[in-house]
Amino acid sequence: MEIIREDEAVLPVVSREVQYSFSVYEALRITGGHVVHLDDHLHRLAVSCHDIGLVHPFSARDIEESLERLIAADSIKDATARIFIVGGPSPLFFITYADLLTYPDSYYSDGVKATLYHGERFMPEAKTSNLLMQYIALEEAKRQGAFEALLVDRHGFVLEGTRSNFYGIRGNAVYTAPDDKVLNGITRISVLKAASELGFRIIYEPPRFDELLSYESVFISATSMAAMPLSHIDGTPMRKERWEEVLDMMRLVRKWE
């Protein structure tokens, strides 16, 4: 393992694995020089590799030591890091980082907008680089002035966002898709734990796109945002009765980091 400049990092363009996106990744938060939930991320990275049959020689300790070396070499305090592994006869392994992704307080106090996109992720339980659909959906959402696009499956259920998990609150329950239908985000685990601590039951049933107004609040979660309320979906205002509890979940998730 070696540390190289970003402009010196290259991928072999003739590699079949690069061309076919036979690769997996993990996005992590670094705060105060500490990698948040590293063991959980390394476990999910291994699961993603297993699920798509990607065999590589990089151990969890190799990856952890590489992160430690990078953090020390560049005196990283707060950042968003990305682990990227490409499979094939000559596997490749990179760790990159950028400024820590944060959002204005208004995103939490006022909520953010989302759009609906009818499509389903391929192999949803694996965090792979096959992200064309997510890219198209999110770019369309941005053109409409929205923050996120929510993916609706063939049966009309809202499973997740292009870069987030999705939830609805109704009564004393939080509704979300079952683990085998979505990418079970590391932050999602913390959000559901926080919801339980706040007295909610967890019901693994995704909301239908045509029943969103039956939920007292809907929200999304991801590593960068913890838990964030949605104010509008496809231009329709969402209900706000449970926003404060969404923010309570966000605070608990950040506290546990």
Side-chain angles (χ1 to χ4, degrees), residues 29 37 65 70 74 82 88 136 140 170 179 197 212:
R29 278 170 56 89
H37 300 312
E65 287 180 349
L70 184 60
D74 284 5
R82 186 182 180 95
I136 293 171
E140 178 58 31
R170 189 163 58 198
D179 292 347
E197 291 208 1
L212 292 174

Side-chain angles (χ1 to χ4, degrees), residues 10-251:
V10 296
L11 289 172
V13 295
V14 297
S15 163
R16 180 168 175 265
E17 287 71 30
V18 170
Q19 293 177 356
Y20 281 59
S21 295
F22 184 56
S23 50
V24 298
Y25 74 98
E26 279 291 316
L28 314 92
R29 278 170 56 89
I30 300 174
T31 59
H34 163 71
V35 183
V36 176
H37 300 312
L38 177 58
D39 289 344
D40 293 331
H41 282 288
L42 292 178
H43 173 71
R44 187 171 66 180
L45 186 70
V47 170
S48 294
C49 288
H50 175 270
D51 286 352
I52 68 171
L54 194 161
V55 178
H56 63 81
F58 315 114
S59 68
R61 186 56 190 155
D62 289 336
I63 297 172
E64 185 174 0
E65 287 180 349
S66 297
L67 271 166
E68 291 170 352
R69 287 182 59 199
L70 184 60
I71 290 170
D74 284 5
S75 301
I76 300 171
K77 297 300 181 185
D78 301 301
T80 300
R82 186 182 180 95
I83 302 168
F84 180 57
I85 297 178
V86 182
S90 301
L92 300 169
F93 160 54
F94 294 93
I95 298 175
T96 58
Y97 73 93
D99 291 341
L100 184 65
L101 185 57
T102 59
Y103 301 105
D105 290 343
S106 61
Y107 281 28
Y108 296 93
S109 60
D110 301 336
V112 294
K113 299 176 181 179
T115 58
L116 296 175
Y117 186 90
H118 291 261
E120 302 172 42
R121 286 201 310 119
F122 175 66
M123 299 184 70
E125 295 173 86
K127 198 173 181 74
T128 74
S129 299
N130 183 357
L131 299 172
L132 178 60
M133 183 188 66
Q134 288 92 319
Y135 181 89
I136 293 171
L138 184 56
E139 288 303 301
E140 178 58 31
K142 290 177 180 178
R143 283 192 289 272
Q144 296 183 40
F147 174 79
E148 174 64 301
L150 304 174
L151 304 179
V152 182
D153 73 5
R154 71 196 73 179
H155 305 294
F157 294 106
V158 185
L159 298 182
E160 59 189 334
T162 65
R163 50 183 171 157
S164 63
N165 289 113
F166 177 71
Y167 317 81
I169 299 176
R170 189 163 58 198
N172 69 339
V174 170
Y175 293 78
T176 190
D179 292 347
D180 63 346
K181 297 294 184 182
V182 297
L183 182 66
N184 192 17
I186 303 304
T187 301
R188 169 174 143 115
I189 295 170
S190 294
V191 165
L192 296 179
K193 176 184 175 185
S196 295
E197 291 208 1
L198 292 171
F200 288 103
R201 293 185 300 123
I202 310 302
I203 298 180
Y204 290 97
E205 296 176 5
R208 283 189 54 85
F209 83 97
D210 54 358
E211 296 178 354
L212 292 174
L213 287 176
S214 70
Y215 293 86
E216 293 150 28
S217 290
V218 290
F219 65 101
I220 53 177
S221 74
T223 296
S224 61
M225 67 189 71
M228 186 179 288
L230 294 177
S231 62
H232 296 73
I233 296 179
D234 269 357
T236 300
M238 295 293 103
R239 295 168 62 181
K240 302 180 179 181
E241 291 97 310
R242 314 302 286 274
W243 273 22
E244 190 54 43
E245 287 150 300
V246 174
L247 298 182
D248 286 342
M249 293 179 213
M250 180 271 291
R251 296 181 188 107

